[in-house]
Amino acid sequence: MNWLAYSHGAALCASLIVTIGAQNAFVLRQGILRAHVGKIVVLCALSDMILIAAGVGGASALVGRYPAFVHAVLYAGLAYLAWFGLNALRRALRPGHETLDVRGEPAAQQQQKPQPALAVVAMTLAFTWLNPHVYLDTFLLIGTAGAREPDGARLAFAVGAMTVSAVWFVALGYGARLLAPWFRRAIAWRVLDAAIGGMVLFLAATQLR
């Protein structure tokens, strides 16, 4: 196992996956309600693994044929990273966040009508596969970054990214009830945005090689 490439994949995935988007908010809410959490976590993690494998494998094939195109896509992705990081820092500096409207108290939980498993599965797939950012982040950015690793290190890079994705969704789904009280406050989102913004900008700078 090439642990350096593994750490590159893990760091890149970590910077991209810890974002306050529709998919993560959905997983967080369902985790707080303890509704079909296992199904949601498995679907999200497997979807990311498929996209990461396709991205690294597909981008690897493109490197030999269209190196200029791959580098152009990578730098477009890095520009997106820089834009995303700056916006995260801007949100952290300026109040006005929307707090997460979730309820974790037992009484409120009892008032929630349980959703059918099939409906929850369909919503999870929609939040994952109909989200354009998934293809930009997971397939294109992670894929093209992994394609730049040496031939023997690409598998380790992909495994590192997959590991972080799986750990993230497990932690988000099953740890949601512990986080819920904090994320009713706007300051929690500001702290998280500041951390994400700093990490993303650092990562974008290190990928300029």
Side-chain angles (χ1 to χ4, degrees):
M1 175 71 76
N2 187 323
W3 293 107
L4 181 60
Y6 180 95
S7 67
H8 288 166
L12 180 57
C13 184
S15 70
L16 294 173
I17 201 169
V18 187
T19 57
I20 310 307
Q23 184 191 46
N24 285 341
F26 173 71
V27 175
L28 188 60
R29 287 188 178 95
Q30 294 299 124
I32 292 168
L33 296 174
R34 298 181 182 179
H36 308 290
V37 178
K39 297 181 181 68
I40 294 170
V41 167
V42 169
L43 282 174
C44 290
L46 282 178
S47 296
D48 264 16
M49 289 179 183
I50 292 171
L51 287 167
I52 290 168
V56 174
S60 300
L62 288 173
V63 165
R65 294 184 178 183
Y66 311 104
F69 170 76
V70 171
H71 282 86
V73 171
L74 175 67
Y75 287 116
L78 293 179
Y80 164 75
L81 270 184
W83 173 84
F84 179 85
L86 290 173
N87 274 292
L89 292 179
R90 179 181 57 81
R91 291 194 303 269
L93 293 173
R94 295 182 180 180
H97 286 65
E98 293 184 0
T99 56
L100 188 63
D101 185 16
V102 292
R103 299 179 180 181
E105 296 83 7
Q109 183 178 342
Q110 292 174 3
Q111 295 173 1
Q112 295 283 342
K113 293 182 179 180
Q115 292 178 302
L118 184 59
V120 171
V121 168
M123 291 177 67
T124 304
L125 293 175
F127 276 119
T128 302
W129 292 94
L130 299 181
N131 183 358
H133 292 292
V134 167
Y135 297 97
L136 177 60
D137 296 346
T138 309
F139 182 79
L140 288 177
L141 189 55
I142 293 180
T144 51
R148 300 177 75 201
E149 297 288 338
D151 289 339
R154 289 170 186 166
L155 177 60
F157 180 94
V159 171
M162 292 176 186
T163 301
V164 168
S165 173
V167 170
W168 167 252
F169 284 118
V170 170
L172 185 63
Y174 288 100
R177 286 187 65 84
L178 300 176
L179 296 174
W182 292 95
F183 284 92
R184 292 195 189 96
R185 305 174 182 178
I187 186 63
W189 295 107
R190 296 181 66 187
V191 171
L192 184 61
D193 278 332
I196 293 172
M199 181 167 59
V200 166
L201 289 175
F202 174 77
L203 184 65
T206 59
Q207 286 291 319
L208 289 172
R209 55 185 171 89

